[in-house]
Amino acid sequence: MNTGDRDPPRDSRFKKGQSENHRRPRQAPRPMAISYLFRKVANEQVAIELDGRQVMMTRWEALLRQIHTLALNKDAGAARLLHQMRKRYPGSAAPGDKFIMVLSDNDMKL
């Protein structure tokens, strides 16, 4: 058996037409992080019908609009979620926007 800089033994050399070492298992592709996938899907553009016309917006914006609409239509779960989001991510409204706050009965008792 040869070692060092010399030619490897004939029986262990690549055969004609073979381009890789088939004894070594291929590496599995790395799984994508869930945060990357979430951002990728959330930032996709979708067409939404708004006031009779189609508007392009991100999926994230469409989701937030849906939650806000449900909260205004007295969906208790959506109202709680919207309230928690406003507490966690405070900020001012855009100039000229109306501020609408949805309060539950428990909030009114305080």
Side-chain angles (χ1 to χ4, degrees), residues 48-103:
I48 303 292
E49 189 170 323
L50 191 63
D51 297 328
R53 58 189 174 93
Q54 280 202 344
V55 179
M56 294 298 290
M57 64 181 72
T58 63
R59 286 185 188 273
W60 184 245
E61 184 180 353
L63 173 67
L64 292 177
R65 285 177 177 269
Q66 184 67 32
I67 292 169
H68 191 262
T69 301
L70 289 170
L72 290 175
N73 290 327
K74 300 182 179 171
D75 182 312
R80 274 193 308 276
L81 179 60
L82 189 60
H83 180 69
Q84 289 172 355
M85 289 170 67
R86 284 193 174 153
K87 279 176 39 179
R88 183 160 183 169
Y89 304 106
S92 58
D97 279 355
K98 295 178 184 176
F99 181 73
I100 300 171
M101 183 69 149
V102 178
L103 299 173

